[in-house]
Amino acid sequence: MLSHPLKRLATVGLIAAGAVASTGASVLLPRQVGTAPAEAAVAGWTSASWTAVAKQTVAKAYPVESAAATVEANVATKGLKAGQYTCNRIILRQAGTSFYNAELCHGSGTTARLQLQRLDAGEITVLATKALTVMNPTTARRFALELRNVNGNPVLKAAQWAPGTARPAWQLTATDASAAKLIKGVQGSVSSWVSGSGTHAVTSAWSGLSVVKAAVPVGYLEGWGEPVFRDEFTSDTLGTRWAVRDKLNLSYDWAQVRKENAAVGGGVATLETRKLAQPVEAGGRTREYSSAYIDSTKTQSQSYGRWEIRAKLPPAADGNKGIWPAFWLRPDDAGHGEIDIFEYYGTPVDRSFSPGHRTEGTVHFDSINKVGKYKVSGFTPLDLPLDDGKFHVWAVEWTPQAITFFVDGRKYYSVAASSDTRYKAVYASGRKYNMRLNVQVGSEYWGGPDDALTAVNTTFAVDYVRVWTYRP
């Protein structure tokens, strides 16, 4: 929302920027909601038996198609020699050689243990361990692994007990908050490993396999997990999540920002413009409208991640010339840089070039010496009118590789990361960015309201705002 809004598609300096063609028919996305727990159909098997020799691992996969689930199974091992032991695993979120697991190890006359582990490309990290009393490996034990996502972090739980009895309280719990890389698999398996040496065969028998997919939290996305910030606007106030600005006379807004123009009710936040009964002389201009502006400067900011909004623009059919709603990001230090997730300029505009019924996504990376403002941008697809009085979803994904824009699930524009010092200073220096939501009236470039073409009151309605953290 910088004061000079013209952001034609361009390549500036050494910045690698380019429009990404959108393909496929337009689909109006429904509101994303969570799901209840559901027992997965364990196709192919619920019981299995195999033999293994020393230092050999034998595994069998089962379908999950979920990054969060609870799995239980019985396992018994026969043929162990004195001093030999076996380690049996229940595995979740498997992606190649990376996964999480609960491991139950016991043997003939040896101590036993239960352990939670993370394996990343075969490298084991022990998350939690519990020593157990000596148990007979030929007698089946039932054990379980639960894997959930809490605030974007995997949370694992494990327990073991005698089959035919109720599952006890979880005996191990671990949160994998320190992992820089998020394991993104959605499959599972069980496996058995035997210690010792030689070719002596040991038999492991699995039975009673049960897989229950976890309830999917609202806003959960594969590859991103749960949102770290989520406002569904179900409370009766904006104040706990957002700063509501008041009596602002911004240079780029022909209206006066007033707190009463931002409200929440019925699960929706509304930001309104209103024609004033009496114009206000303030900030060097006559202001005939009031507008709304909220931000997360004191509640949420981060570097890298995904930001998403589901919102309804003021409909063109109702008259919205000069009405400019936007969702954008600004750095906490108020310095250079801005990501406009979307801006809508109203229709018609006072220019020969018209965005039509589209919105624009923009990446600003202002020059260090403020000589000029550098930016690149792209408009949403022509076949998707966004001021049609319906809710639509806008998102941006900012990673070390690129800043990528989406609308209704369609990727339409991307700006690649660059070695340009201007870009690196703004988007590769770890600076945190906060969120801004506002609707302004008029601009020097696109033009202002018109009594014949602009409604007396307009509403920018927001269903939700969600934010996810970035992990490689």
Side-chain angles (χ1 to χ4, degrees):
M1 294 295 295
L2 295 179
S3 57
H4 300 286
L6 179 58
K7 311 177 189 75
R8 297 297 181 90
L9 184 61
T11 300
V12 182
L14 300 177
I15 295 295
V20 177
S22 176
T23 59
S26 173
V27 177
L28 189 63
L29 295 183
R31 192 179 199 280
Q32 297 173 331
V33 296
T35 63
E39 187 163 359
V42 186
W45 71 284
T46 56
S47 300
S49 180
W50 54 68
T51 59
V53 298
K55 299 300 186 346
Q56 180 183 17
T57 298
V58 181
K60 189 173 182 66
Y62 54 83
V64 185
E65 298 298 335
S66 175
T70 302
V71 182
E72 296 183 6
N74 304 324
V75 64
T77 304
K78 296 182 180 180
L80 289 172
K81 293 180 178 181
Q84 202 173 22
Y85 66 92
T86 180
C87 290
N88 300 295
R89 285 174 171 171
I90 293 177
I91 293 169
L92 278 170
R93 201 175 286 186
Q94 188 163 11
T97 57
S98 296
F99 52 81
Y100 290 101
N101 71 268
E103 184 177 77
L104 177 62
C105 294
H106 57 164
S108 179
T110 64
T111 57
R113 65 164 170 78
L114 182 64
Q115 199 167 81
L116 289 170
Q117 300 175 346
R118 167 196 173 96
L119 273 80
D120 191 356
E123 183 177 344
I124 298 176
T125 300
V126 176
L127 302 174
T129 300
K130 179 178 177 61
L132 305 172
T133 57
V134 175
M135 57 185 70
N136 185 353
T138 63
T139 301
R141 298 295 293 178
R142 190 162 184 81
F143 77 116
L145 168 64
E146 178 180 280
L147 178 55
R148 299 285 190 271
N149 290 286
V150 179
N151 296 326
N153 296 313
V155 176
L156 295 84
K157 298 178 181 180
Q160 61 82 36
W161 66 100
T165 62
R167 186 181 73 194
W170 294 111
Q171 296 158 349
L172 284 179
T173 300
T175 300
D176 191 22
S178 61
K181 182 179 180 182
L182 182 65
I183 295 177
K184 300 177 181 179
V186 293
Q187 298 303 335
S189 62
V190 297
S191 71
S192 299
W193 177 87
V194 181
S195 72
S197 60
T199 58
H200 174 69
V202 174
T203 301
S204 294
W206 292 80
S207 62
L209 179 69
S210 168
V211 180
V212 177
K213 293 183 181 181
V216 178
V218 174
Y220 177 85
L221 286 180
E222 291 295 341
W224 289 95
E226 295 179 48
V228 293
F229 176 96
R230 180 169 66 85
D231 199 340
E232 310 291 319
F233 300 108
T234 54
S235 67
D236 58 359
T237 179
L238 290 167
T240 57
R241 295 289 189 91
W242 305 91
V244 181
R245 302 200 182 191
D246 189 32
K247 297 296 174 63
L248 284 183
N249 300 296
L250 300 169
S251 61
Y252 55 79
D253 188 353
W254 295 8
Q256 182 180 74
V257 174
R258 294 186 177 181
K259 63 180 180 181
E260 59 266 27
N261 287 36
V264 63
V268 174
T270 55
L271 285 75
E272 297 183 346
T273 64
R274 301 171 184 172
K275 184 72 177 290
L276 297 174
Q278 183 64 44
V280 175
E281 296 291 335
R285 70 166 67 247
T286 300
R287 300 176 186 268
E288 298 182 352
Y289 287 79
S290 59
S291 61
Y293 191 146
I294 63 176
D295 64 61
S296 70
T297 51
K298 295 182 179 179
T299 56
Q300 204 283 333
S301 63
Q302 65 185 50
S303 179
Y304 300 134
R306 176 185 169 93
W307 290 258
E308 181 177 291
I309 185 173
R310 186 172 189 263
K312 181 170 62 175
L313 302 177
D318 294 347
N320 65 12
K321 184 181 187 304
I323 304 302
W324 186 344
F327 180 39
W328 43 303
L329 308 178
R330 282 282 290 144
D332 287 351
D333 62 14
H336 301 308
E338 176 178 312
I339 301 173
D340 297 330
I341 299 171
F342 84 81
E343 293 177 285
Y344 173 75
Y345 305 122
T347 186
V349 296
D350 296 346
R351 290 285 163 177
S352 58
F353 167 77
S354 174
H357 305 284
R358 300 178 292 166
T359 61
E360 187 176 25
T362 304
V363 176
H364 298 262
F365 38 99
D366 296 357
S367 64
I368 302 303
N369 60 13
K370 297 186 179 182
V371 169
K373 290 182 169 63
Y374 297 92
K375 56 209 171 190
V376 289
S377 66
F379 281 97
T380 52
L382 282 167
D383 65 348
L384 182 56
L386 296 170
D387 54 5
D388 56 1
K390 299 177 182 179
F391 280 94
H392 296 272
V393 177
W394 292 263
V396 70
E397 293 180 358
W398 171 23
T399 71
Q401 292 74 43
I403 299 173
T404 305
F405 295 82
F406 303 83
V407 62
D408 285 349
R410 299 167 63 177
K411 174 182 174 180
Y412 71 91
Y413 185 67
S414 186
V415 180
S418 170
S419 59
D420 188 309
T421 55
R422 296 172 307 206
Y423 186 99
K424 291 176 68 176
V426 174
Y427 296 114
S429 59
R431 297 159 71 233
K432 293 183 178 181
Y433 282 61
N434 56 72
M435 295 179 285
R436 313 291 178 97
L437 268 168
N438 76 309
V439 55
Q440 74 176 66
V441 178
S443 77
E444 300 294 341
Y445 186 84
W446 295 111
D450 184 302
D451 287 344
L453 300 172
T454 307
V456 173
N457 297 333
T458 73
T459 300
F460 171 35
V462 182
D463 181 36
Y464 67 71
V465 174
R466 297 170 184 167
V467 183
W468 295 259
T469 56
Y470 169 77
R471 283 186 176 181

